[in-house]
Amino acid sequence: MKIILTAMALFFLPLQAHAVTMAEDIATTIMLRGHPCGGSTASQISETRDGAGNRTIQATCPNGKRYQVDVSSDGRVTVKPLN
Amino acid sequence: MFTLFTLRNSLTMLYMNGSEIVSLKVVSLLLALLMVAGCAKHVETSGPLMSSSKPKQETATSLSKKGDEVVESKQSDSGATVTTSRAKQVSKEDLSESQDPAKSVIKTPEINMDELVERLKETEAIGVFTKLAIRSDVLDFKTSIDSYRKKGELERYLGHLRDHFDGLLLKILALLERDPSLSKDIQHARESIWRSFLEAKS
């Protein structure tokens, strides 16, 4: 009975749109800048910040290419391939 | 109708002399079909559907308003014009509706650009870095419009800028797949956004 109720509850739960993960966000940004990524989720993400507020994110796309996403302190985004 | 019966009888008499009984049956059948068709046509022209030809008698009817009186003019087939006038109480509401153009225009929902921008900032359908990338694109687009304006070439490159704008909006709409409400509102506000870009001066 418990199993049936749980299954019914899961079935009738509204499908909520989950917030975008950082891996998805990075992959989308790379693709938005016109670079091939081969999928919608990046991996091996590393982030560094400098004293001026600039952020540097390095990530690997599903196609194996590694990119660097630079976000300046005023919010400008640039993407450059690393390999 | 009578002609058809006569034709049938005369043909029957003609074939009775010969031995072509089968041919006679075929011809009789054909004639019966013709009669049915003739009857159907007769019913069509003289039956209740005749009322549909009524407008032929009254070819034109016109209404004109003279003060509080309504003058109704009817022109018959004979060409005579029958004019009848009757008093009509024209309510103030009717007059106000017909004279107020603001009421007759279909109201379009007002688009609040600031609200749209705020919703775009707040939506969870797009990540932070993607939002920043879009912002960069929009700022670049705005800069290019301003530079064309400064050179006095805005009109010349308007088509090119519009294409750029459409591409940019298409990107945003594609990214807003998980927020269909905002996507729809931005789609509706497309022209307003375009105008606001052209009006904005840095």
Side-chain angles (χ1 to χ4, degrees):
Chain A
M1 188 65 182
K2 258 186 181 178
I3 296 166
I4 294 166
L5 282 172
T6 313
M8 280 179 72
L10 284 171
F11 183 76
F12 287 111
L13 262 178
L15 293 170
Q16 285 186 340
H18 68 280
V20 179
T21 60
M22 190 176 181
E24 288 172 329
D25 192 13
I26 296 292
T28 309
T29 308
I30 291 165
M31 286 189 283
L32 209 59
R33 283 282 171 266
H35 297 283
C37 195
S40 59
T41 312
S43 57
Q44 299 172 25
I45 300 165
S46 63
E47 187 179 351
T48 54
R49 284 175 193 248
D50 62 7
N54 301 311
R55 295 165 77 177
T56 303
I57 299 115
Q58 291 189 348
T60 306
C61 273
N63 62 2
K65 291 194 174 182
R66 195 156 174 82
Y67 292 99
Q68 182 171 308
V69 180
D70 293 310
V71 184
S72 66
S73 55
D74 62 341
R76 292 275 181 172
V77 179
T78 50
V79 177
K80 57 184 179 188
L82 291 175
N83 51 5
Chain B
M1 187 76 169
F2 179 73
T3 320
L4 284 169
F5 270 115
T6 317
L7 187 65
R8 184 180 182 269
N9 288 337
S10 58
L11 274 169
T12 310
M13 290 297 287
L14 189 73
Y15 276 93
M16 281 296 276
N17 294 331
S19 60
E20 297 172 347
I21 304 296
V22 180
S23 298
L24 176 66
K25 280 183 179 174
V26 171
V27 171
S28 297
L29 186 66
L30 280 169
L31 282 170
L33 281 171
L34 274 169
M35 281 163 61
V36 169
C39 289
K41 196 177 178 182
H42 179 74
V43 167
E44 197 175 297
T45 51
S46 63
L49 287 174
M50 276 295 282
S51 58
S52 65
S53 62
K54 198 177 178 182
K56 280 183 182 176
Q57 290 173 355
E58 291 171 3
T59 51
T61 305
S62 63
L63 283 170
S64 61
K65 202 180 271 185
K66 288 180 182 175
D68 286 348
E69 271 189 353
V70 175
V71 179
E72 190 174 346
S73 303
K74 287 181 182 178
Q75 193 171 11
S76 62
D77 273 346
S78 58
T81 307
V82 181
T83 308
T84 54
S85 62
R86 56 191 161 86
K88 188 187 176 186
Q89 290 287 331
V90 182
S91 67
K92 284 181 182 177
E93 283 177 3
D94 288 347
L95 281 172
S96 64
E97 269 183 26
S98 61
Q99 288 172 359
D100 190 6
K103 283 186 179 178
S104 60
V105 175
I106 300 164
K107 283 184 181 177
T108 52
E110 284 188 21
I111 296 152
N112 189 345
M113 298 298 286
D114 294 334
E115 188 199 325
L116 272 184
V117 172
E118 201 58 39
R119 281 172 69 190
L120 201 57
K121 280 180 185 173
E122 296 295 322
T123 186
E124 290 186 346
I126 308 175
V128 180
F129 295 108
T130 313
K131 281 177 191 171
L132 287 171
I134 290 170
R135 182 177 166 271
S136 298
D137 286 344
V138 170
L139 288 173
D140 289 342
F141 180 62
K142 210 173 167 181
T143 308
S144 65
I145 286 178
D146 290 339
S147 69
Y148 282 128
R149 184 181 282 124
K150 276 178 188 172
K151 289 176 194 170
E153 294 176 333
L154 188 64
E155 292 294 321
R156 189 179 165 194
Y157 290 99
L158 213 57
H160 166 74
L161 287 168
R162 179 67 199 213
D163 289 344
H164 191 172
F165 167 77
D166 285 339
L168 194 59
L169 208 69
L170 196 68
K171 267 186 201 177
I172 296 168
L173 293 176
L175 289 166
L176 284 171
E177 196 183 5
R178 292 176 188 175
D179 195 344
S181 166
L182 181 57
S183 174
K184 198 176 82 179
D185 289 347
I186 288 175
Q187 176 67 28
H188 283 311
R190 177 187 284 260
E191 293 308 316
S192 301
I193 297 167
W194 168 244
R195 279 197 298 273
S196 72
F197 268 119
L198 293 180
E199 285 164 8
K201 288 178 183 176
S202 60

